[in-house]
């Protein structure tokens, strides 16, 4: 989502245009931002489904087959690696 003309970049650019505008923002821009935000919400919901259900189902299958589970963790800060 963070590369080129992908969705998050488009949302950011459009929000910047709207925020920085000294004149009334065209309704088409406001409408497009709502479309982009709806798409972002859908992607977030899909990701939540993957992490909550699909990952749990995969881990159960892996557990049955004696394969180590997969988890999602917070990355370790680089300064923590020095300790």
């Amino acid at each position: 989502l963070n590369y080129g003309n992908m969705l998050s970049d488009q949302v950011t650019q459009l929000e910047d245009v709207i925020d920085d505008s000294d004149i009334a923002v065209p309704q088409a821009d406001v409408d497009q931002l709502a479309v982009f935000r709806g798409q972002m919400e859908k992607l977030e919901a899909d990701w939540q489904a993957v992490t909550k259900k699909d990952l749990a189902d995969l881990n159960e299958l892996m557990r049955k087959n004696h394969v180590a589970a997969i988890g999602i963790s917070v990355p370790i800060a680089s300064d923590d690696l020095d300790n």
Side-chain angles (χ1 to χ4, degrees):
L1 290 176
N2 291 319
Y3 301 102
N5 289 326
M6 299 306 244
L7 186 55
S8 64
D9 187 49
Q10 291 172 337
V11 169
T12 301
Q13 288 180 16
L14 188 52
E15 285 175 335
D16 288 346
V17 167
I18 291 171
D19 288 343
D20 294 342
S21 179
D22 292 334
I23 60 173
V25 177
Q27 187 61 43
D29 288 351
V30 175
D31 294 343
Q32 186 60 51
L33 183 58
V35 169
F36 287 156
R37 285 185 175 158
Q39 291 172 341
M40 292 290 283
E41 289 171 5
K42 169 79 168 81
L43 289 171
E44 176 65 23
D46 290 349
W47 174 247
Q48 292 300 322
V50 165
T51 59
K52 286 187 173 61
K53 181 178 182 340
D54 296 342
L55 186 57
D57 292 348
L58 175 62
N59 281 332
E60 179 61 27
L61 180 63
M62 293 172 69
R63 193 172 13 264
K64 288 179 182 176
N65 289 287
H66 308 290
V67 177
I70 296 174
I72 298 173
S73 62
V74 177
I76 298 172
S78 61
D79 55 335
D80 291 342
L81 295 175
D82 295 334
N83 296 331

